[in-house]
Amino acid sequence: MKQIETLLRERIGLDAASIGASVVARLVRLRMKTCGLDRPADYARLLQNSPDEWRQLVEAVVVAETWFFRDRAAFAALVRLVREEWLPRHPVETLRILSLPCSTGEEPYSVAMTLSEAGIEPQRVQIDGADLSAVALARAARAVYGKNSFRGPDLAFRDRHFTATKEGYVLSPAIARQVRFHQINLLGDEWRVEGRGTGDSEPATRRNGETARSPIRRFADSPARPHADPRPSSLTPPYDFIFCRNLLIYFDRATQARALERLGGLLHAEGYLFVGPAELPLVREGGFVPAHLPLAFASCKPGLRRAERETARRRESETGRGRNGEPASGRSRRLADSPIRRLTNAPARPLADSAVGLAEAQALADAGQLEAAAAACEKLLERDGPSAAGYYLLGLVTEARDQEVRNEECGARNSALDTPHPALELYRKALYLEPNHQEALLHAALLLERQGEHTAAVAYRRRAKRASARSQ
Ligand SMILES: C[S@@+](CC[C@H](N)C(=O)[O-])C[C@H]1O[C@@H](n2cnc3c(N)ncnc32)[C@H](O)[C@@H]1O
């Protein structure tokens, strides 16, 4: 089995320990049975010689779980950054966004819905979704979804962008055609990042004439294939925003470093990298700088703009006012009229008791109003009684508030914890009520790791994996 684990690590980065060596062994045995083989050594040989069997094994071991607007503060942050930073600097250029890994498409389509509702013209935007799994990409291209793809308290977007049919919820073609899909192994040999990365040297050339491309060797220079069957094709870096969420957690340290180097090469010098909640510390270790966007888990490359960005953002969160001194809620008439406004411009004042629902508490959190969000969660829990969703959100907000304090005190580093984090207790309460709450399991694992409780952290990760397998 070790030989097969090594192959998986070397070729696709999968660290068997991240999902449990026994889980991987079970999946391998299933494949061996299908191939009529008894000995792992024979199967390892087959994998070396048969690209087709290799593909089958990859499809068996990847964790493709995803859903629309997962960690939705990231999408709210995307709109803010596009409107406040990117658009003023790039009045005519194309906004480039990469979702890698995109799995079955929910993430890049959430980006497309978000930007469309914020009034950004589709012609101004290029959204690429990339993943290793051909099966996941085929489902992404089909754009028909079951109920597992819709989670959380606010599903109004489903009514706006999907049609319910016997097969499932069909995404509107207007959104679907905004995303191009590519089959890509982030760690594969078929393309490389050479040198220090695209973004660091070139914004002017790429913006003027769009000819300068990165030092990434592309493996096909085929034209863009809008919303078609996935196959290897070219990415076109540098990207202004990259979503690489819930992939690094499956890699070991060395592979995380390799992956981050490649992502750095794909990201524009002034771009932002969004990762999963459990991955922000890893990204920091890889040299990225936190963007201080609560609950959005975003970071950027180190550079001159960083101080400027942080000052502006702090000023805004302190005063509740935008860059030009306008109240946050009046920054854009178009945005204020759009359904996305609840994501981006939550009410400035805490809500009255009677008005507080989970969606409102989430909107406050998404807008970075952490104290108001915490108060709203507490009210909600008091009024309606314990709920896993309420405790989980309060845990997230507690973590984000703590992180803000740490950032003030000791800069970017995500330090080890000397005492149990108060959010851990909240995640445990959520898990008491809903033992398979995957996100609570992952967050609890991360906090336990920071406390040095590695065995407990691994146990939580395993539970998260089992919960994920059950829900697929
Ligand atoms: C848990 S999903 C994450 C999807 C989405 N980003 C999210 O956060 O909901 C992980 C995805 O990573 C893909 N993946 C695993 N290893 C990869 C690699 N080396 N290169 C590209 N994609 C990979 C899997 O196929 C799977 O679809």
Side-chain angles (χ1 to χ4, degrees):
M1 276 301 161
K2 284 279 166 248
Q3 218 181 332
I4 296 164
E5 279 184 17
T6 304
L7 266 184
L8 286 168
R9 177 180 289 112
E10 282 174 0
R11 291 192 186 173
I12 64 166
L14 179 69
D15 175 14
S18 71
I19 57 172
S22 58
V23 176
V24 173
R26 187 169 48 78
L27 296 167
V28 168
R29 280 206 195 87
L30 278 175
R31 286 305 315 157
M32 285 169 57
K33 197 170 165 204
T34 311
C35 300
L37 294 173
D38 292 329
R39 297 183 340 136
D42 294 338
Y43 186 62
R45 240 187 319 279
L46 177 65
L47 288 175
Q48 301 278 11
N49 298 320
S50 163
D52 190 47
E53 182 49 35
W54 172 250
R55 277 190 289 272
Q56 299 281 358
L57 179 64
V58 167
E59 294 297 348
V61 296
V62 291
V63 179
E65 200 191 17
T66 183
W67 57 92
F68 288 105
F69 291 102
R70 181 176 194 174
D71 290 312
R72 57 191 313 147
F75 301 93
L78 172 69
V79 172
R80 273 181 63 189
L81 294 171
V82 168
R83 297 185 60 84
E84 294 174 12
E85 290 187 6
W86 193 87
L87 277 175
R89 287 192 193 125
H90 306 101
V92 295
E93 292 88 339
T94 301
L95 170 66
R96 290 200 172 100
I97 300 177
L98 173 65
S99 161
L100 192 177
C102 68
S103 187
T104 39
E106 288 88 331
E107 185 174 271
Y109 288 142
S110 299
V111 168
M113 285 185 264
T114 301
L115 296 179
S116 154
E117 294 198 357
I120 316 286
E121 293 155 16
Q123 311 84 272
R124 294 285 314 273
V125 185
Q126 176 191 315
I127 305 172
D128 287 322
D131 201 280
L132 177 66
S133 162
V135 172
L137 288 167
R139 289 184 54 199
R142 186 164 171 258
V144 180
Y145 294 95
K147 65 175 176 10
N148 256 349
S149 299
F150 302 92
R151 305 186 196 179
D154 184 1
L155 297 180
F157 70 91
R158 193 168 61 187
D159 299 333
R160 294 194 292 272
H161 297 290
F162 292 81
T163 309
T165 69
K166 275 208 298 287
E167 283 78 41
Y169 292 92
V170 179
L171 181 61
S172 82
I175 297 294
R177 66 172 158 259
Q178 288 184 42
V179 182
R180 314 182 310 176
F181 290 106
H182 313 264
Q183 189 179 11
I184 280 175
N185 176 359
L186 178 58
L187 304 162
D189 290 335
E190 60 272 43
W191 59 281
R192 292 178 214 294
V193 179
E194 292 155 0
R196 276 242 47 214
T198 48
D200 292 337
S201 54
E202 60 26 85
T205 36
R206 158 323 244 161
R207 301 300 178 191
N208 301 332
E210 308 271 310
T211 48
R213 284 290 178 252
S214 79
I216 287 180
R217 209 180 293 144
R218 292 183 286 150
F219 54 115
D221 250 337
S222 57
R225 294 163 49 80
H227 190 51
D229 60 306
R231 62 171 209 189
S233 55
S234 57
L235 297 181
T236 50
Y239 288 92
D240 302 294
F241 297 90
I242 296 181
F243 285 67
C244 181
R245 305 191 309 164
N246 304 299
L247 175 61
L248 298 174
I249 44 172
Y250 298 108
F251 296 166
D252 64 15
R253 284 288 153 114
T255 315
Q256 283 161 356
R258 255 166 79 206
L260 283 169
E261 206 185 312
R262 288 201 164 175
L263 291 167
L266 291 168
L267 186 65
H268 192 278
E270 295 174 358
Y272 285 86
L273 172 66
F274 289 92
V275 292
E279 295 164 330
L280 202 53
L282 312 174
V283 166
R284 284 179 178 142
E285 276 167 27
F288 285 78
V289 179
H292 299 296
L293 296 161
L295 301 176
F297 314 111
S299 56
C300 28
K301 289 181 173 180
L304 288 178
R305 284 258 157 71
R306 185 189 153 214
E308 187 192 308
R309 274 178 183 151
E310 278 183 20
T311 314
R313 206 164 286 130
R314 289 227 174 85
R315 197 175 49 231
E316 190 175 334
S317 75
E318 278 159 21
T319 61
R321 285 179 175 263
R323 208 174 268 168
N324 305 320
E326 304 153 37
S329 58
R331 245 172 278 155
S332 152
R333 208 177 312 124
R334 183 142 70 161
L335 185 63
D337 291 342
S338 101
I340 203 78
R341 78 185 180 285
R342 268 190 306 132
L343 289 177
T344 51
N345 291 332
R349 281 186 302 273
L351 298 157
D353 283 27
S354 58
V356 173
L358 193 61
E360 284 75 16
Q362 176 80 61
L364 287 165
D366 292 349
Q369 297 182 34
L370 300 178
E371 279 189 34
C377 288
E378 277 157 11
K379 264 181 205 155
L380 187 72
L381 289 163
E382 198 183 301
R383 193 192 61 198
D384 299 347
S387 72
Y391 281 124
Y392 171 64
L393 182 57
L394 186 54
L396 282 183
V397 171
T398 304
E399 266 198 85
R401 289 169 80 188
D402 173 69
Q403 194 58 54
E404 281 196 341
V405 173
R406 279 169 194 270
N407 289 336
E408 293 290 340
E409 283 172 358
C410 56
R413 301 217 69 77
N414 198 23
S415 46
L417 297 169
D418 305 329
T419 51
H421 195 291
L424 185 57
E425 192 49 34
L426 295 163
Y427 296 137
R428 284 191 168 132
K429 285 184 176 168
L431 290 167
Y432 178 75
L433 295 164
E434 199 181 311
N436 292 329
H437 195 301
Q438 286 168 59
E439 303 290 296
L441 286 165
L442 284 173
H443 277 269
L446 185 71
L447 290 178
L448 285 164
E449 252 156 35
R450 286 174 61 197
Q451 271 168 238
E453 294 188 36
H454 299 294
T455 314
V458 168
Y460 272 92
R461 273 196 201 289
R462 286 209 180 116
R463 275 178 65 186
K465 166 69 190 150
R466 281 198 300 272
S468 158
R470 249 179 250 127
S471 73
Q472 274 179 31

